[in-house]
Amino acid sequence: MQRALLLFFALILWAAGFGQSPKGRSLADWLKQPDSKEKVQAINDISFELGKDNPDSMLLTGRIVVNIALNIGDSLGLAWAYRRIGVAHTRLGHPADSSLLYLRTALDMSRRLNDPAGIISCAQKISDVQIQQGKLNEAMDMLITSLQLSRTSGDKEEEARSLNKMAQLYRKLGKMEPALESAFKSLAIRKELGASADIMLTMQT
């Protein structure tokens, strides 16, 4: 019954023009495939794309992935689905506890699975929620975790993103010198990677 309901909602998304995966299959097409880790990853990717403009759809597809991942025992896929759900709750303006429940669960799972990308992503998203709560010091701890792990794992893109988030947080804390330092470091990495410089902060006093 639950499976039928998930397929029904997926077909609604498909009819509305949502749910095209990077591999060219729609959400409805993927749901017709046998459960597999590839299917979990594909729908997680679709969930990410949907979340850019439609967090409701991100929430729905995240729940679909949870159902499939639990069915086949895909812990990594499950962790990323929990992260998607947590992000969707944040973007929908739901209570912070709703977001943090899923994000912290995803973080714990990512740590057990030794998944650096998952840990970095969860730490950054948790910090976003904590900033909204006014828990700025706790948010900084999360960003430090994200920065350190991105450096250890050699992920320059995430290092730049972590530094940029830290610059914004330092600014909120009234610490302009480390804010500027973090912003310039982030910009330098972006230039090194050949990316645009639009993540540079406008540091206004």
Side-chain angles (χ1 to χ4, degrees):
M1 180 65 179
Q2 184 181 15
R3 181 90 171 197
L5 285 172
L6 291 175
L7 181 56
F8 172 73
F9 285 119
L11 287 170
I12 291 176
L13 291 175
W14 172 80
F18 297 123
Q20 194 76 7
S21 77
K23 296 183 179 180
R25 286 180 175 174
S26 71
L27 177 58
D29 288 337
W30 273 111
L31 283 175
K32 294 174 186 176
Q33 304 301 313
D35 289 348
S36 66
K37 291 185 177 181
E38 181 186 17
K39 178 178 176 178
V40 167
Q41 181 178 346
I43 301 178
N44 262 328
D45 290 342
I46 290 172
S47 182
F48 173 77
E49 293 300 323
L50 290 173
K52 293 178 180 178
D53 301 309
N54 194 324
D56 280 308
S57 297
M58 187 184 208
L59 183 60
L60 172 60
T61 47
R63 288 171 175 167
I64 291 172
V65 175
V66 167
N67 184 61
I68 299 170
L70 285 172
N71 185 48
I72 64 173
D74 183 357
S75 297
L76 183 60
L78 182 61
W80 279 95
Y82 283 149
R83 178 196 170 278
R84 301 275 188 257
I85 293 173
V87 171
H89 277 298
T90 301
R91 293 179 181 175
L92 287 166
H94 293 169
D97 287 346
S98 299
S99 303
L100 291 174
L101 173 64
Y102 287 99
L103 291 172
R104 285 175 172 152
T105 299
L107 178 60
D108 289 343
M109 292 181 69
S110 297
R111 282 171 169 161
R112 290 198 299 270
L113 294 165
N114 193 27
D115 175 28
I119 297 170
I120 292 167
S121 180
C122 288
Q124 290 176 0
K125 296 305 179 184
I126 289 172
S127 75
D128 291 341
V129 179
Q130 290 172 329
I131 289 171
Q132 293 176 10
Q133 292 179 305
K135 299 178 179 179
L136 304 187
N137 290 327
E138 291 181 26
M140 185 61 76
D141 289 340
M142 280 288 132
L143 291 178
I144 289 171
T145 295
S146 173
L147 178 62
Q148 290 175 339
L149 187 53
S150 62
R151 285 173 170 169
T152 301
S153 61
D155 191 331
K156 289 287 189 179
E157 185 71 27
E158 292 301 336
E159 182 181 353
R161 184 174 288 108
S162 297
L163 284 164
N164 190 56
K165 286 178 175 289
M166 290 176 74
Q168 297 177 57
L169 183 50
Y170 276 127
R171 183 186 172 198
K172 287 180 180 291
L173 290 167
K175 299 180 179 181
M176 297 306 295
E177 186 174 342
L180 285 168
E181 181 181 357
S182 297
F184 279 115
K185 285 181 178 178
S186 177
L187 178 59
I189 295 171
R190 282 295 205 178
K191 286 185 174 179
E192 177 187 340
L193 295 174
S196 64
D198 59 359
I199 69 164
M200 177 60 184
L201 299 174
T202 302
M203 305 303 294
Q204 299 175 339
T205 56

